[in-house]
Amino acid sequence: ILNVEQSPQSLHVQEGDSTNFTCSFPSSNFYALHWYRWETAKSPEALFVMTLNGDEKKKGRISATLNTKEGYSYLYIKGSQPEDSATYLCAHYGGATNKLIFGTGTLLAVQP
Amino acid sequence: ETGVTQTPRHLVMGMTNKKSLKCEQHLGHNAMYWYKQSAKKPLELMFVYNFKEQTENNSVPSRFSPECPNSSHLFLHLHTLQPEDSALYLCASSQTSGTGGWEQYFGPGTRLTVT
């Protein structure tokens, strides 16, 4: 069984705080790592797809890094806002399974 | 608006009923997916279609029967379900399904309750 693990499970921060989450995945036979944001009652929305070791991607206040050799990715949110409140999912695509395997997500709540 | 629609949004069915979930994507993608999310569990891939051909059946029971008549439409036919099949069913699409390099676009999901 190839697991994707995310930590923490949940996080409560104050508006303006910066925060980060971790996604761990099998390092062998790596193809791609996805990050999605899933707001309550909405559809999951893609944030980043990363394929190269050392990749760094940024969208506004959100950025992500990738280390395929050690099997982890970090998602950073700078200056959290209440509208950032959502579940953040990562998903790993590897040659061993040839399909996207999701983690259970990190639930972020930003208090105004 | 993600360009992927699903109907119905909510469905309650008995164990002897037959119903279908519908998904439509307006993004010109060639791959479509069905996922299941049960409470406290990760999104679980059920089926993958690439250019209308089924390329993945993730050991899904035969009471779930997918159909992909064209690259824009995907159905999930349901019959003789069990209460443990109650879950959120999400449809997604992407440019293609190979190597995982394409982001997936999700619909809003169908909340299914089996009584």
Side-chain angles (χ1 to χ4, degrees), chain B residues 32-70:
Chain B
M32 295 188 78
Y33 311 80
W34 279 116
Y35 286 91
K36 173 184 178 181
Q37 188 179 39
S38 305
K40 308 259 187 224
K41 290 187 177 180
L43 273 174
E44 181 184 354
L45 181 68
M46 299 175 73
F47 301 105
V48 181
Y49 279 82
N50 202 33
F51 292 92
K52 300 190 297 177
E53 298 297 319
Q54 188 180 126
T55 58
E56 176 76 32
N57 176 337
N58 196 27
S59 303
V60 180
S62 59
R63 57 186 184 269
F64 295 90
S65 175
E67 179 190 0
C68 188
N70 55 61

Side-chain angles (χ1 to χ4, degrees), chain A residues 31-32 34 36 38 43 93 99, chain B residues 37 58 100 102 104 106-108:
Chain A
Y31 284 177
H34 296 217
Y36 291 85
W38 195 357
S43 312
Y93 194 106
K99 60 189 178 189
Chain B
Q37 188 179 39
N58 196 27
W102 297 97
Q104 295 189 9
F106 286 84

Side-chain angles (χ1 to χ4, degrees), chain A residues 5 13 44 48 52 55-56 63 65-66 74 86 95 109:
Chain A
E5 297 181 358
V13 302
F48 306 112
L52 298 176
D55 246 357
E56 289 189 28
S63 60
T65 61
L66 178 67
Y74 294 136

Side-chain angles (χ1 to χ4, degrees), chain B residues 77-104:
Chain B
H77 304 299
L78 316 171
H79 63 98
T80 58
L81 294 191
Q82 305 298 310
E84 60 264 29
D85 296 322
S86 299
L88 180 68
Y89 290 84
L90 286 164
C91 172
S93 70
S94 68
Q95 190 64 40
T96 68
S97 64
T99 70
W102 297 97
E103 61 191 6
Q104 295 189 9

